[in-house]
Amino acid sequence: MFNIIRSEERYQADYGWLQTKYSFSFGPYDDPDNMEFGALRVLNDDIVAPGTGFDFHPHNNMEIVTYVISGELLHQDSMGHKEVIRAGEVQCMTAGTGIYHSETNPSTTEPVHLLQIWFYPEQQGLTPTYDQKAFPVREQKNMWIPVVTGHKTEEALHIHQDVIVRLATLEAGKTLTCDQAPGRRFFLFVIEGACLVNGERLEAGDSIRAVGIEQLEVAGLSDAHLMWMDLA
């Protein structure tokens, strides 16, 4: 299986304060044939206007990953955290037995662009946790940087699911490969720029879902910002 989903095929919504594109069923977008890809349940590509955002709302039994592409996001939650997530930073939350949180744009002039990603946890009823970290993705070019993993390491943030999330900035004319063990799933998302993946042109917002393929070759057509998920 090797499926390309083009950016314009995603569900798109304009709420005034929020411009969003959903890769999977979410909110008003209900498609029983597009609920998940392995443990990956949600990938929302959000642009939040200055001084607005998501008010306090609940979550439970989900592993939530937020990556800020540009701008800043103010996070507050029922665990007592009040943190600003800046461009290049990744946040992980285990919602577990239940949390409330809000996500707002603290700027009065600049929008914030982020990806919010949800994974099913390996088990229900986990104790809620919070963590965030900056990664030098735009400085260390032409290499995959692990940012989230189900195996505890010093380099990446930890979630309770058998997944590895990697980010890269790929320069035009350079090439990266994605290698996976047999039986695992590829999810590749182009955040910015353009590239060739196994000979297919992908641009910002395009993604690939692949099963039964052990290697993807990614060649930069322009400087490209990429996310690769290795899923069970």
Side-chain angles (χ1 to χ4, degrees):
M1 173 188 142
F2 184 90
N3 288 343
I4 298 175
I5 294 87
R6 299 296 178 187
S7 178
E8 60 270 17
E9 296 178 59
R10 297 179 293 173
Y11 179 88
Q12 302 184 36
D14 181 351
Y15 298 102
W17 63 275
L18 171 67
Q19 312 291 319
T20 187
K21 297 174 182 176
Y22 302 148
S23 292
F24 298 92
S25 286
F26 188 87
Y29 170 45
D30 183 16
D31 181 354
D33 295 323
N34 189 31
M35 294 298 298
E36 62 204 27
F37 184 63
L40 175 59
R41 173 62 188 89
V42 166
L43 176 59
N44 293 351
D45 188 349
D46 294 339
I47 297 175
V48 182
T52 68
F54 302 91
D55 291 331
F56 269 90
H57 57 280
H59 291 290
N60 62 67
N61 292 316
M62 199 65 69
E63 301 293 293
I64 300 172
V65 176
T66 301
Y67 177 48
V68 175
I69 300 162
S70 62
E72 296 183 347
L73 187 70
L74 174 62
H75 165 93
Q76 299 183 76
D77 65 42
S78 54
M79 294 181 282
H81 299 100
K82 183 177 181 180
E83 306 287 348
V84 175
I85 311 163
R86 296 174 173 85
E89 293 187 341
V90 178
Q91 175 213 68
C92 285
M93 283 194 305
T94 292
T97 53
I99 61 164
Y100 280 81
H101 78 140
S102 67
E103 298 163 304
T104 57
N105 182 354
S107 174
T108 58
T109 58
E110 299 297 324
V112 57
H113 184 192
L114 64 119
L115 299 178
Q116 184 157 113
I117 305 157
W118 297 4
F119 297 98
Y120 293 116
E122 289 180 327
Q123 65 184 83
Q124 304 283 294
L126 294 165
T127 300
T129 61
Y130 179 95
D131 204 358
Q132 77 181 71
K133 185 176 180 179
F135 293 92
V137 175
R138 295 190 186 272
E139 291 77 33
Q140 297 181 9
K141 301 180 187 296
N142 307 313
M143 61 184 295
W144 289 112
I145 297 177
V147 297
V148 175
T149 176
H151 309 284
K152 290 186 177 181
T153 68
E154 293 184 0
E155 294 79 17
L157 298 174
H158 175 255
I159 65 171
H160 299 87
Q161 183 50 257
D162 182 9
V163 60
I164 304 172
V165 181
R166 298 177 175 92
L167 294 167
T169 298
L170 179 62
E171 295 178 301
K174 301 292 186 178
T175 300
L176 286 171
T177 57
C178 308
D179 296 295
Q180 292 190 160
R184 294 187 64 86
R185 300 168 183 260
F186 281 106
F187 188 94
L188 185 73
F189 183 78
V190 181
I191 300 170
E192 298 169 311
C195 57
L196 288 178
V197 181
N198 288 13
E200 297 283 350
R201 182 184 178 96
L202 270 73
E203 299 185 353
D206 293 347
S207 62
I208 289 176
R209 303 177 195 184
V211 179
I213 296 174
E214 295 180 17
Q215 185 179 82
L216 299 178
E217 183 175 89
V218 187
L221 296 175
S222 65
D223 288 355
H225 190 182
L226 308 167
M227 176 178 282
W228 161 31
M229 301 182 199
D230 176 343
L231 301 153

